[in-house]
Amino acid sequence: QFFVFCHGLLQLSQLLVSGYLKSSISTIERRYGLSSQTSGLLASFNEVGNTLLIVFVSYFGSRVHRPRLIGCGAILVSLAGFLMSLPHFITGPYKYDRSVASTFSNTTDLCQPGAPGAWANLSAASCTPHASRENHEVLLVMFMAQALLGIGGVPIQPFGISYIDDFASERNSPLYLGILFSVTVIGPGVAFMLGSAMLRFYVDIDKVGAAEVQLTNGDPRWVGAWWLGFLVAASLVALSALPYFFFPREMPKEVGEVLHTHTPRGFPVVLLRNLRHPVYLLVVLAQVNISAMVAGLATFMGKFLERQFSLTASLANMIIGAVNIPGAMVGIVVGGAILKRFQMSLRQCSALCVLGMLLCLLGAFPLLFLGCPTQKVAGVTYWDSSGFGHHDLECSAQCRCPEKGFNPVCGSNGVEYTSPCSAGCRNVNIDTNNSVLNYTECSCIPGPGLARPGTCGTGCSHLFVPFVVLSCLAGILASTSHTPSFMLILRSIQPEDKSFAVGIQFMLLRVLAWMPGPVLYGSAIDTTCILWERRCDRRAACRYYDNTLFRQRYLGLQFFFEVGAF
């Protein structure tokens, strides 16, 4: 029982490391200028190390000191977690365009006619050979950490489960495995809540004093302390790893009968026999579709909520961790309860799966229409009647604004401008602690010529609650098919192939869904970008998306996979 407790703790903290990355992905994109395709690849990269090794591990399972190997794996996972936070410590402080001079920069992004000098140095300074090298280093470290995370995770689950199954009594084994399984489901929820807590702190909390930080966490330039959660999670993994070095190689079995394990038949023979089995193949393909959908959702749902409903990263994570993931857990439990209550046959199991997916489709379809168009951004999504050009708005032409400035302001006319300079604002009012109250004398804004800092927002808050309710409902319905689909696999194949068939199933899910899923979603999201940030002449993170296209492609992809599963 102590082993089960330790293993639950270890699995939870391992999931914290891998799940936390998904909760802070939009923040890491903004901090290091990544496209969603790159961040999607990063998020799924831990599966690569994992998949390469998982077959060997399942094969050699009984011949090694399992607890000690689990301990070693956990140490690697912990190292990977610390490595993930390293970029924060090897790069300088986060720089962003600001209107109020600070100790870091005396430049300002207000309109200063006839003073091109101040601007020239701002755009040139940010692109040194060091800056572009630093970027490669950051990516290299993060991809290495993710690969290491995958490799370290290999022995944890299979060895833990087989160790428990070998030495628990037949009566208690399902209970123990059930406890572990529920932890696996709770884990991501906890990770998103951790993300929600950490992203409220400013990224350079350890490098600059509170007085220096002129941003609030609702600001489009805000970057939260993404690295802090990795330190917390990695420390937890390291703690959970310790007991494993003191467990024996074998335990006396709990009271109950002895198990006889079969020697595995030839590898290719079993593989072909299972893949030729129509029920097995079809169920696994359905699970591949569902998994691809979940992989993309988990990785980019936060980003979607942030953009579509103008939420902070912290609030978006809170919603996912407190509403969507518990919803999926409820669905899994309900599916299992229906199975048990009605003692379902295989045909009834498959009917339950089909029904669950059909209802899920009906719930998910309206989501495609719940959203708002992109806010009006001058020169990006909106040109007024005077029809001025793309970069150089006539009203702010004499300001000579840099193309890459980014410090959005919202004009009193309801139009957003990419910086106070592009709105032609010549004056800024600040309050006592150096944060901006408003901008005045803005030549591009008719009437009083006022602007407030920050984005205008999408004005979509009224659709937010219906969206969350419907998406949670669709999630509950889709996850009712989880347990019956596993039952279909376990009961339709020969008993001695069981563990092997489950291994192959996870392998296929990884290769066909968990790996390509986030990259596919990320690429689809990138196609909807209308203004890219430039860093050293490379395309960095996206500043503005076409919100309608973002919603249609992101949720459309999700719908496509749901139809596939159905």
Side-chain angles (χ1 to χ4, degrees):
Q1 283 167 344
F2 182 59
F3 184 88
V4 174
F5 170 75
C6 290
H7 207 63
L9 203 60
L10 177 60
Q11 275 195 336
L12 182 66
S13 18
Q14 178 201 1
L15 284 162
L16 270 187
V17 178
S18 56
Y20 181 77
L21 173 66
K22 292 180 168 49
S23 77
S24 49
I25 205 106
S26 63
T27 301
I28 293 174
E29 278 181 15
R30 189 175 303 162
R31 174 65 183 88
Y32 294 110
L34 310 179
S35 68
S36 289
Q37 187 177 25
T38 308
S39 68
L41 184 61
L42 178 67
S44 62
F45 204 69
N46 58 330
E47 303 292 354
V48 176
N50 205 307
T51 308
L52 294 176
L53 289 172
I54 198 94
V55 175
F56 293 107
V57 165
S58 318
Y59 205 73
F60 293 114
S62 47
R63 311 192 182 104
V64 290
H65 193 309
R66 287 174 289 187
R68 215 164 277 171
L69 259 177
I70 294 173
C72 294
I75 298 289
L76 285 184
V77 169
S78 163
L79 276 176
F82 287 120
L83 203 55
M84 274 307 284
S85 66
L86 185 65
H88 171 74
F89 300 101
I90 58 176
T91 53
Y94 170 55
K95 295 190 178 70
Y96 53 89
D97 298 329
R98 44 176 93 195
S99 311
V100 186
S102 74
T103 50
F104 283 124
S105 73
N106 49 7
T107 54
T108 162
D109 54 9
L110 291 173
C111 177
Q112 298 163 306
W119 279 125
N121 65 18
L122 180 71
S123 46
S126 61
C127 193
T128 54
H130 171 72
S132 57
R133 194 179 67 241
E134 195 175 66
N135 189 270
H136 290 305
E137 285 167 8
V138 165
L139 276 179
L140 187 67
V141 167
M142 286 189 154
F143 274 98
M144 270 172 46
Q146 279 288 87
L148 195 63
L149 178 63
I151 293 167
V154 167
I156 294 178
Q157 207 168 0
F159 282 177
I161 287 175
S162 64
Y163 191 81
I164 289 170
D165 202 48
D166 283 356
F167 304 120
S169 69
E170 305 280 281
R171 205 183 66 218
N172 290 346
S173 179
L175 169 70
Y176 297 150
L177 296 182
I179 291 172
L180 288 188
F181 179 67
S182 60
V183 167
T184 337
V185 183
I186 295 166
V190 180
F192 277 99
M193 299 303 271
L194 180 67
S196 176
M198 295 304 168
L199 295 180
R200 285 185 191 146
F201 300 110
Y202 180 64
V203 61
D204 289 325
I205 194 168
D206 57 329
K207 298 179 187 173
V208 303
E212 270 298 324
V213 184
Q214 298 167 7
L215 303 180
T216 61
N217 70 0
D219 192 290
R221 296 162 298 162
W222 172 268
V223 169
W226 60 271
W227 51 277
L228 207 51
F230 284 116
L231 294 184
V232 172
S235 312
L236 274 174
V237 173
L239 281 177
S240 326
L242 289 175
Y244 284 92
F245 294 98
F246 302 100
F247 280 110
R249 183 180 183 133
E250 282 168 353
M251 279 192 196
K253 192 169 169 65
E254 280 187 333
V255 183
E257 63 274 40
V258 186
L259 266 181
H260 299 291
T261 47
H262 298 279
T263 46
R265 198 82 63 65
F267 197 85
V269 180
V270 184
L271 178 63
L272 284 172
R273 184 167 67 210
N274 282 324
L275 289 184
R276 278 208 316 266
H277 197 302
V279 176
Y280 178 77
L281 198 59
L282 287 169
V283 174
V284 168
L285 282 179
Q287 288 186 343
V288 163
N289 276 284
I290 290 186
S291 301
M293 175 192 90
V294 171
L297 275 190
T299 312
F300 293 114
M301 187 64 161
K303 184 184 177 78
F304 175 77
L305 293 175
E306 285 169 48
R307 297 292 179 149
Q308 199 74 46
F309 301 105
S310 313
L311 306 184
T312 64
S314 175
L315 182 58
N317 282 332
M318 174 78 88
I319 297 293
I320 298 169
V323 180
N324 288 66
I325 293 179
M329 288 164 59
V330 168
I332 291 175
V333 171
V334 167
I338 294 175
L339 268 193
K340 195 165 177 169
R341 171 76 185 75
F342 298 109
Q343 296 286 314
M344 294 183 137
S345 65
L346 283 189
R347 182 156 293 164
Q348 287 167 325
C349 274
S350 53
L352 183 60
C353 291
V354 170
L355 182 67
M357 284 317 297
L358 181 62
L359 293 173
C360 165
L361 282 175
L362 295 176
F365 187 64
L367 292 178
L368 286 165
F369 306 99
L370 287 183
C372 305
T374 319
Q375 62 267 39
K376 293 176 177 170
V377 183
V380 179
T381 60
Y382 171 79
W383 288 267
D384 77 7
S385 48
S386 63
F388 40 55
H390 204 291
H391 274 300
D392 140 268
L393 315 179
E394 267 163 36
C395 50
S396 58
Q398 83 278 22
C399 304
R400 304 193 182 165
C401 307
E403 283 184 15
K404 47 198 275 185
F406 184 69
N407 174 8
V409 299
C410 183
S412 49
N413 55 347
V415 175
E416 189 171 314
Y417 297 83
T418 50
S419 70
C421 184
S422 64
C425 305
R426 290 156 195 252
N427 204 350
V428 59
N429 296 323
I430 55 175
D431 65 9
T432 45
N433 61 2
N434 247 6
S435 55
V436 175
L437 287 172
N438 64 2
Y439 296 94
T440 53
E441 302 173 43
C442 305
S443 52
C444 293
I445 302 168
L450 284 173
R452 60 178 172 80
T455 160
C456 290
T458 51
C460 230
S461 47
H462 59 294
L463 290 176
F464 177 55
V465 174
F467 182 91
V468 169
V469 170
L470 266 180
S471 74
C472 184
L473 189 67
I476 292 176
L477 291 164
S479 42
T480 50
S481 62
H482 185 278
T483 317
S485 68
F486 264 102
M487 279 298 124
L488 278 170
I489 285 181
L490 290 176
R491 289 192 198 156
S492 63
I493 51 187
Q494 296 174 1
E496 69 269 20
D497 295 350
K498 215 176 263 187
S499 57
F500 189 76
V502 172
I504 294 293
Q505 170 200 6
F506 279 120
M507 177 93 173
L508 288 170
L509 288 185
R510 284 217 165 87
V511 175
L512 299 177
W514 297 113
M515 276 189 212
V519 184
L520 188 66
Y521 271 85
S523 310
I525 291 171
D526 282 344
T527 61
T528 67
C529 183
I530 42 184
L531 180 65
W532 290 96
E533 166 199 6
R534 311 289 308 179
R535 285 194 192 179
C536 295
D537 296 330
R538 74 175 180 90
R539 210 175 69 172
C542 184
R543 300 285 199 207
Y544 291 104
Y545 291 97
D546 177 328
N547 267 351
T548 311
L549 277 181
F550 187 168
R551 185 177 68 249
Q552 285 168 352
R553 291 188 186 164
Y554 178 70
L555 296 176
L557 206 50
Q558 178 196 346
F559 195 74
F560 170 78
F561 284 125
E562 283 165 354
V563 171
F566 172 70

